[in-house]
Amino acid sequence: MIQFLQQLINGLALGSIYALIALGYTMVYGVLKFINFAHGDIYMVGAFVGLYVTPWVWKVIPPGQDPSKFNWNTTAGGLVVMLISMVVCAVLGILIERLVYRPLRNRPRLTVLITAIGVSIFLENFGQYLFGADPKSFPDILPDRTIDIGDLSIFMNQIVVFVTTIVLLVALRYIVMKTRMGTAMRALSYNTTAASLMGINNDVIIAFTFGLGSALAAAAGILNAINYPSIDPLMGILPGIKAFVAAVLGGIGNLPGAVVGGLLLGVLETMVVGYISPMYRDAIAFAALIFILLFRPNGLFGKIEKEKV
Amino acid sequence: MLQIRDLHVNYGAITALHGINIDVPKGSIVTLIGANGAGKSTTLRAVSGITRAQKGSIVFDGEEIVHLAPHKIVGRGLCHVPEGRMIFANLSVMENLLMGAYRRNDRKAFGGDLDYIFDIFPRLKERKAQSAGTLSGGEQQMLAIGRALMSKPRCLMLDEPSLGIAPLLVKTIFEKIVEVNKNLGITVLLVEQNANLALEISQFGYVLETGRIILSDASAKLREDPQVKECYLGG
Amino acid sequence: MSVSSALLEVDQCTVQFGGLKAVSELDLRIHEGELVGLIGPNGAGKTTIFNLITGVYQPTDGDIWFDGQSVVGHKPYQITARGIARTFQNIRLFSSLSVFDNVRAACNLHLKHGISHALWRGGAFAREEAEIAERVDGLLDIFHLSHLRNAECTSLPYGDQRRLEIVRALATRPKLLLLDEPAAGMNPTEKGELMRLIRFAQEKFQLAVLLVEHDMRVVMGICERIAVIDYGVKIAEGTPEAIRNDRKVIEAYLGE
Amino acid sequence: MNRPKTWLLLSILAAWVISRFQGAINPYYYDILITIGINIILGVSLNLVTGYTGQFSLGHAGFMSVGAYASAMVTLSVGAHARGESLIFIGALLVGGLSAALAGLLVGGPSLRLKGDYLAIVTLGFAEIIRVVFENVEAVGAARGLSIPVHTTDFFWTFLSVALTIYVVVFLVHSTYGRGFLTVRDDEVAAEAMGINATKYKVLAFVVAAFFAGIAGGLYAHFKQFIHPEGFGYLRSVDIVVIVILGGMGNTPGVIIAAVLLTILPEGLRALGSWSALPEAIRPLIQNRMILYSLLLIALMLLRPQGLFSTGGRLTKWLKRGKGAAA
């Protein structure tokens, strides 16, 4: 039982990361109806930005001396690192949209998909050129502590992942459901023509969506690097694909669905690794994807749409 | 208020509009009638900027708008209620109405405008928290018009407001169009297949056929025109 | 002309999307060689009826009989093979193919030989390809499209594209042809010519035709019988003369 | 005897004649030539699925790996240096091709209901699963990879396969029967309304393409003499897609040119990257062919989405006319 609970916690922590990335896929799919293949690589860039800005942040906010004790300075520094990374990635996301995707706005979806693959390959390989292909170790930007509840041990990092994820989700929900920009996002995702007839500048909303999704991916990159402090330029490929699976699982375009899909996939993967074999860690995501697409192509919560003839 | 001159629109190799001219005087209701595929919707789409015109000029209130993006045209006070209503089914009725006011910054004035819309379409008030996708066809059309009114337009373009709506509701909606025109002084360009009804409430009419204006006259005269009678009035 | 059973028999068909009944309890009969019109206001469910007959949609309730057999549950390509061909309201030609190839592709259905012939390319293959080419050219000739044989179909004017769609449908050798607003976007001269061609094809190929059309001159001019649809329900059926004077039709359709 | 078959025989004859002199070719260039051949097979076969039938597959490397492993297993079970080497090789290639075709049927059957992005991602998923399976099966060397003791792939076998692939794809598509592929690409609904069984065509394209990918895999295994699951990952599939895109969807001559160019390109870049006149910092930028690839891909999509070698469809028109005369 303890082992199961432990696995569940690990799975939820991993799932939170998937959920944060999946939200970006789902949001972009919502407004542009295409899979932003390069989204997983933004997550990678997020981690590397964190790696490079940490020394600068630490110069301004010196971290605590004892890494095993909670320290306000360390926590604040970690938060600043994450915020900077989110902002940088948001800008990167907007830039990519502006330079590459916007000129392709009304082209066949295949063209856009191939372009996205191109952007993804570019980010990975340019990352290798810029950062070096070898894994880098990510600094301890948070106090490293374990909390024991009976036989169950929860890492401080996992708590940080949960708390941050929840905060980000609440913030996102507020933006999407309550603000003018968020309502415009939803309107646009339903009907772009009607949105522009309302005076909505679709370009602005789409850029905003890209920024928002990329910021969430950057946060996921940092959170994951806190847990697994070895980062490399190709680290975004698999989580990217898995987060996409999570988005599809929840019904692409559906925000709560992406979160549920992410958590579900994270738990599923951890259980397979824990109880079956770590060799099938990656296969499980693809098996889930194939299963869901073949039997419920609109995801667990989606509804069937028919082509108009 | 609105002058369309020599407007040409092509879809790929197909020419949808072969240089049409339309004048919509301030405060009037002008209607555009014609068969399916004649180019009525294309005309409105070109004016609101959703479809790009290849040639020609569209002057709204003294300003050339033919090259403006749709959202800017809305900002100028020209609002298009598209064919098929295109309400946001995933948003609530209230959110739909607020989207209509997207470009406005005078949030304090929203209340009064909402009251006016709920006054002419009481059904919307009853359903304001409801998801717009659950509305009936007629209610959706009311919402589409209400949403357009929230942008405080000076000119309203309506594309087939009677489409797929029960006859009784069509009557109500046409009455409201006249009311809005009279009370708020909003100029109306109405595209309609139901020529009888359209010519009844309008002052001037244009008949479009395969992308060309073949007739234009005062509505009362068009209703008596033998050709119009045969083709469009089912006479 | 007394045919005991109809070629097409739509029997109490209902199509439901979610809570919405797009077509309800529709009865429709078309006899061999008959030219029937289907009219009604926009959004009344005419195209849905076409999609129902051709297997794009399945009826929620009811049955459809064609040539003595039920076609419910069959795929669109199977129904076409049985002898129902159609055109589309929003022209759907094969955009990358030439005019000739668009029609030739519709002959695919009656090929005697398959993949091995296409690869082996023996005498039988050459003969069959030549036969098809001859048939296609013949059809293009009838519809005055021969001069455009090698043109890209998307470069054609609207009226020609609509005619090409009819030719393509005819190449599947149908017994029943469904035309969805064939006159939309045509000028009066083209419309007149189209009416003549539809009648001509109907006689030459012994076709039954079901015609959805908004232009009253076209419908009233060539149809022997007209059915009127409103809100997915058939509200009237009869000769053009009877329809013209039907109170219900005038009320619902002509907008009094 | 009509023209298509003459064409096929001539190209096989040419391959045979050239192969008589293969000893005289510089081994470096010889390697590149074989790789070009394998890439042509992969590109042209994927073009049947993506270019002509309009189904976007990101799993072609998966079928290639099935062919590579299956053919390698045939060779290994017969034993090295057995007599009748050529016959065994033909057998191995055929087993490779047929295994891949079977995999294509198993994958394509259910997944071709999906369209566009979804199909792409599902084919990618299947290819990854195939890779994970090879990584876990001890009998094929698992994650260590598999060595093949013989080097049977030579110029003749490679270009014989190239000729066959081109023949099948081109002459399949240019017939009334083969027009079915194009109609499915252009408009599936209209194709079905014209009596064309779209599903059948999609699956057929998938199976034929998988067969040739399997042959390519067999050639690759008996050329490199070592295969490894990692070598057939998602990036390999992308490589093949790039060949098709660059050549132009549904443009076989273009795809052949693209396969040649994209095989030579990394070699040229390697040479350029070690050119000492260049600043130190730039060299790795050039040597990493993927950076250039990706930029090329993006630029192509922005500027010429129809491919580099589609001269406004003139080439396709020329092919159509050529067909008209042949039939």
Side-chain angles (χ1 to χ4, degrees):
Chain A
M1 189 61 198
I2 288 296
Q3 199 208 345
F4 177 78
L5 280 179
Q6 191 74 60
Q7 296 285 10
L8 190 66
I9 290 171
N10 296 344
L12 288 174
L14 180 64
S16 305
I17 307 280
Y18 290 158
L20 286 176
I21 312 176
L23 283 168
Y25 275 114
T26 267
M27 282 194 289
V28 167
Y29 194 90
V31 294
L32 283 183
K33 303 283 174 286
F34 94 100
I35 299 170
N36 181 13
F37 237 85
H39 190 60
D41 301 299
I42 300 282
Y43 155 91
M44 173 272 291
V45 174
F48 272 97
V49 171
L51 173 73
Y52 287 109
V53 300
T54 303
W56 295 87
V57 172
W58 279 354
K59 263 186 207 160
V60 184
I61 316 171
Q65 291 305 310
D66 184 354
S68 68
K69 284 214 181 84
F70 180 80
N71 179 300
W72 278 111
N73 265 6
T74 316
T75 314
L79 274 178
V80 171
V81 168
M82 184 182 288
L83 284 177
I84 293 177
S85 170
M86 286 170 76
V87 170
V88 171
C89 284
V91 172
L92 178 66
I94 292 171
L95 207 65
I96 292 174
E97 193 278 327
R98 179 70 194 85
L99 291 177
V100 184
Y101 299 141
R102 192 180 298 177
L104 298 172
R105 199 69 65 72
N106 293 315
R107 299 274 196 85
R109 279 164 70 174
L110 215 57
T111 309
V112 191
L113 179 66
I114 293 162
T115 311
I117 292 176
V119 173
S120 162
I121 299 174
F122 176 78
L123 288 176
E124 285 153 17
N125 289 280
F126 195 71
Q128 287 193 336
Y129 166 73
L130 215 58
F131 311 132
D134 307 323
K136 300 271 185 302
S137 92
F138 195 79
D140 295 319
I141 58 168
L142 283 174
D144 183 16
R145 237 176 50 166
T146 320
I147 297 163
D148 293 312
I149 308 170
D151 291 335
L152 203 64
S153 55
I154 305 174
F155 294 106
M156 184 70 190
N157 295 341
Q158 288 178 329
I159 295 178
V160 170
V161 168
F162 293 137
V163 172
T164 318
T165 306
I166 290 167
V167 169
L168 288 174
L169 290 182
V170 170
L172 181 70
R173 191 176 160 75
Y174 176 79
I175 292 174
V176 172
M177 300 308 289
K178 299 286 177 212
T179 65
R180 199 163 73 135
M181 208 71 159
T183 315
M185 244 172 90
R186 283 183 289 144
L188 178 62
S189 75
Y190 189 76
N191 188 327
T192 44
T193 308
S196 63
L197 288 180
M198 294 300 104
I200 296 171
N201 185 346
N202 291 357
D203 289 343
V204 170
I205 302 296
I206 289 168
F208 177 71
T209 309
F210 264 85
L212 209 56
S214 304
L216 290 178
I222 300 277
L223 290 176
N224 192 56
I226 293 171
N227 267 338
Y228 308 96
S230 164
I231 63 174
D232 69 88
L234 300 184
M235 67 184 267
I237 300 179
L238 272 178
I241 293 174
K242 286 177 190 169
F244 170 74
V245 175
V248 173
L249 213 59
I252 197 136
N254 177 338
L255 295 182
V259 176
V260 176
L263 294 177
L264 212 61
L265 191 67
V267 171
L268 197 66
E269 190 179 314
T270 316
M271 294 297 169
V272 167
V273 171
Y275 291 101
I276 303 173
S277 158
M279 293 302 275
Y280 292 100
R281 165 187 284 264
D282 300 335
I284 186 69
F286 293 111
L289 172 76
I290 289 163
F291 184 82
I292 201 86
L293 282 186
L294 297 186
F295 296 103
R296 270 199 75 89
N298 292 287
L300 295 175
F301 316 111
K303 53 181 190 302
I304 312 291
E305 274 173 31
K306 233 184 144 140
E307 190 189 356
K308 224 178 150 169
V309 179
Chain B
M1 176 127 240
L2 183 68
Q3 285 126 19
I4 302 173
R5 289 285 171 275
D6 194 30
L7 187 66
H8 286 77
V9 176
N10 307 328
Y11 294 115
I14 298 168
T15 308
L17 292 180
H18 304 264
I20 61 165
N21 297 302
I22 291 175
D23 280 286
V24 184
K26 193 166 184 148
S28 64
I29 299 182
V30 172
T31 187
L32 193 56
I33 58 175
N36 253 12
K40 304 182 304 268
S41 293
T42 306
T43 308
L44 295 198
R45 293 174 68 89
V47 173
S48 62
I50 314 173
T51 300
R52 282 277 147 238
Q54 266 67 40
K55 217 177 108 190
S57 134
I58 301 166
V59 173
F60 178 66
D61 218 7
E63 186 192 5
E64 177 62 64
I65 58 166
V66 77
H67 294 302
L68 287 184
H71 65 268
K72 294 210 170 123
I73 293 175
V74 179
R76 301 287 192 278
L78 178 60
C79 197
H80 176 186
V81 180
E83 186 180 359
R85 307 181 281 271
M86 293 197 189
I87 52 125
F88 302 114
N90 60 336
L91 267 53
S92 72
V93 169
M94 194 63 183
E95 283 174 329
N96 265 278
L97 291 171
L98 290 177
M99 275 296 103
Y102 183 79
R103 290 195 79 79
R104 288 172 56 187
N105 291 316
D106 52 337
R107 294 196 155 238
K108 288 194 188 110
F110 284 10
D113 297 330
L114 280 173
D115 285 343
Y116 179 79
I117 289 162
F118 288 148
D119 189 41
I120 59 171
F121 298 126
R123 294 243 207 137
L124 294 182
K125 190 170 188 178
E126 291 163 29
R127 304 199 184 324
K128 68 180 177 187
Q130 216 167 306
S131 157
T134 61
L135 298 184
S136 77
E139 290 164 347
Q140 290 191 3
Q141 187 63 57
M142 294 174 186
L143 177 58
I145 294 173
R147 189 178 62 172
L149 289 177
M150 280 304 284
S151 73
K152 275 213 173 269
R154 285 176 294 150
C155 177
L156 200 57
M157 298 194 291
L158 299 161
D159 196 347
E160 303 223 4
S162 72
L163 188 84
I165 295 175
L168 208 67
L169 272 176
V170 171
K171 235 181 170 132
T172 317
I173 285 172
F174 273 68
E175 280 165 21
K176 299 301 174 191
I177 294 171
V178 175
E179 199 182 316
V180 162
N181 169 255
K182 289 238 166 67
N183 296 354
L184 301 181
I186 296 176
T187 310
V188 175
L189 175 56
L190 173 70
V191 156
E192 192 44 73
Q193 249 202 142
N194 193 330
N196 244 334
L197 218 46
L199 290 175
E200 202 172 302
I201 67 162
S202 61
Q203 285 96 46
F204 208 84
Y206 290 84
V207 181
L208 203 56
E209 194 168 278
T210 51
R212 289 186 178 86
I213 301 281
I214 55 158
L215 265 178
S216 62
D217 209 335
S219 298
K221 283 198 181 149
L222 281 181
R223 290 178 79 183
E224 301 306 318
D225 187 286
Q227 199 184 343
V228 174
K229 261 185 161 171
E230 191 204 346
C231 305
Y232 305 105
L233 302 177
Chain C
M1 254 315 282
S2 70
V3 188
S4 56
S5 74
L7 176 66
L8 177 82
E9 192 167 341
V10 177
D11 186 18
Q12 288 287 302
C13 270
T14 299
V15 182
Q16 204 156 353
F17 298 119
L20 195 86
K21 270 189 188 167
V23 174
S24 46
E25 295 168 14
L26 177 79
D27 277 320
L28 188 68
R29 269 171 197 74
I30 298 170
H31 299 280
E32 261 172 58
E34 210 181 4
L35 213 165
V36 180
L38 192 61
I39 62 172
N42 260 355
K46 293 163 307 207
T47 299
T48 309
I49 294 173
F50 270 27
N51 287 336
L52 176 71
I53 296 171
T54 54
V56 178
Y57 297 151
Q58 294 299 328
T60 322
D61 209 6
D63 208 347
I64 303 168
W65 294 77
F66 180 73
D67 217 3
Q69 282 173 300
S70 172
V71 293
V72 171
H74 286 72
K75 298 243 167 59
Y77 74 90
Q78 292 166 325
I79 292 175
T80 308
R82 295 270 285 276
I84 304 181
R86 74 177 288 184
T87 64
F88 295 91
Q89 189 181 351
N90 45 342
I91 303 172
R92 301 185 81 134
L93 290 166
F94 303 123
S95 53
S96 72
L97 302 187
S98 67
V99 169
F100 174 80
D101 270 345
N102 259 282
V103 185
R104 182 161 75 131
C107 300
N108 187 299
L109 160 76
H110 295 291
L111 277 180
K112 289 189 221 60
H113 309 296
I115 180 168
S116 52
H117 268 77
L119 289 180
W120 179 249
R121 307 227 154 185
F125 172 82
R127 274 194 298 281
E128 189 170 22
E129 292 283 290
E131 246 172 60
I132 288 171
E134 197 181 323
R135 251 213 2 255
V136 171
D137 283 330
L139 279 172
L140 288 176
D141 206 34
I142 294 174
F143 283 80
H144 313 305
L145 289 166
S146 288
H147 62 292
L148 297 168
R149 185 183 191 272
N150 295 317
E152 277 177 46
C153 66
T154 44
S155 67
L156 266 51
Y158 217 62
D160 285 343
Q161 292 201 12
R162 290 229 177 259
R163 269 186 297 149
L164 178 56
E165 258 210 337
I166 298 176
V167 177
R168 188 179 66 169
L170 287 174
T172 66
R173 301 188 204 164
K175 292 180 194 131
L176 169 65
L177 180 62
L178 310 182
L179 299 175
D180 202 345
E181 296 202 25
M186 287 186 177
N187 62 39
T189 332
E190 288 177 311
K191 279 177 185 168
E193 172 67 10
L194 179 78
M195 284 161 72
R196 203 187 58 74
L197 279 171
I198 291 174
R199 273 228 202 83
F200 175 81
Q202 181 206 8
E203 262 163 47
K204 181 168 167 80
F205 302 104
Q206 284 144 35
L207 282 174
V209 177
L210 180 61
L211 176 75
V212 163
E213 183 51 61
H214 270 286
D215 191 302
M216 286 303 136
R217 277 171 299 181
V218 174
V219 179
M220 299 288 174
I222 62 173
C223 291
E224 296 154 26
R225 189 153 57 85
I226 295 173
V228 188
I229 308 291
D230 197 20
Y231 295 102
V233 180
K234 187 169 79 181
I235 56 166
E237 189 170 356
T239 60
E241 211 35 55
I243 291 297
R244 221 191 276 270
N245 300 317
D246 190 301
R247 276 270 355 128
K248 258 179 159 177
V249 176
I250 294 170
E251 232 166 73
Y253 182 63
L254 302 171
E256 268 305 307
Chain D
M1 174 121 325
N2 53 27
R3 294 217 334 233
K5 274 177 281 180
T6 321
W7 182 89
L8 177 65
L9 283 181
L10 278 178
S11 47
I12 293 172
L13 191 70
W16 184 78
V17 171
I18 296 171
S19 71
R20 294 303 93 191
F21 302 100
Q22 65 188 31
I25 306 171
N26 172 328
Y28 173 69
Y29 293 126
Y30 182 71
D31 269 24
I32 294 179
L33 276 177
I34 302 284
T35 313
I36 285 177
I38 291 172
N39 283 339
I40 291 177
I41 299 172
L42 290 169
V44 170
S45 60
L46 182 64
N47 196 25
L48 180 64
V49 175
T50 302
Y52 289 112
T53 321
Q55 309 299 309
F56 194 50
S57 164
L58 261 180
H60 217 47
F63 301 125
M64 184 189 176
S65 73
V66 170
Y69 274 97
S71 65
M73 289 315 282
V74 171
T75 304
L76 286 171
S77 60
V78 174
H81 312 298
R83 279 206 280 172
E85 200 183 47
S86 299
L87 272 180
I88 296 167
F89 188 49
I90 292 178
L93 283 185
L94 278 179
V95 169
L98 291 172
S99 314
L102 184 67
L105 187 66
L106 292 178
V107 172
S111 35
L112 284 164
R113 281 187 272 162
L114 302 168
K115 288 194 174 72
D117 312 12
Y118 279 107
L119 178 64
I121 206 99
V122 161
T123 49
L124 167 72
F126 270 114
E128 288 294 301
I129 286 179
I130 291 173
R131 185 177 61 82
V132 173
V133 168
F134 282 133
E135 257 170 21
N136 286 285
V137 174
E138 265 314 307
V140 296
R144 295 183 309 280
L146 187 64
S147 293
I148 298 102
V150 293
H151 186 287
T152 1
T153 299
D154 65 3
F155 193 93
F156 175 68
W157 291 117
T158 308
F159 282 87
L160 170 78
S161 309
V162 170
L164 270 174
T165 313
I166 296 173
Y167 177 86
V168 168
V169 171
V170 170
F171 290 100
L172 191 57
V173 168
H174 290 102
S175 64
T176 301
Y177 182 84
R179 285 286 166 229
F181 293 110
L182 281 76
T183 62
V184 171
R185 173 187 71 185
D186 282 359
D187 190 329
E188 212 177 309
V189 173
E192 290 251 328
M194 293 306 118
I196 291 164
N197 183 349
T199 314
K200 186 184 87 177
Y201 274 95
K202 288 196 275 184
V203 173
L204 181 67
F206 221 65
V207 169
V208 172
F211 175 81
F212 286 111
I215 299 273
L219 290 168
Y220 178 83
H222 293 81
F223 164 60
K224 293 281 180 196
Q225 292 184 266
F226 177 72
I227 48 178
H228 187 274
E230 286 289 331
F232 304 102
Y234 141 77
L235 283 179
R236 178 94 215 189
S237 294
V238 172
D239 269 0
I240 309 169
V241 171
V242 175
I243 293 178
V244 174
I245 305 286
L246 188 71
M249 301 260 211
N251 173 359
T252 303
V255 168
I256 296 169
I257 301 172
V260 175
L261 281 185
L262 286 179
T263 317
I264 299 172
L265 183 74
E267 305 301 327
L269 288 178
R270 197 170 300 152
L272 187 68
S274 46
W275 191 31
S276 53
L278 283 173
E280 195 79 42
I282 306 274
R283 274 189 241 161
L285 200 60
I286 291 172
Q287 272 178 332
N288 187 335
R289 80 192 157 98
M290 293 312 284
I291 294 180
L292 207 85
Y293 252 44
S294 53
L295 289 176
L296 189 73
L297 199 61
I298 297 167
L300 203 62
M301 286 298 104
L302 285 170
L303 306 173
R304 274 189 79 84
Q306 73 273 38
L308 216 46
F309 306 110
S310 281
T311 48
R314 212 176 299 153
L315 215 53
T316 6
K317 267 183 206 150
W318 171 80
L319 265 174
K320 276 178 200 163
R321 207 162 300 141
K323 200 274 130 220

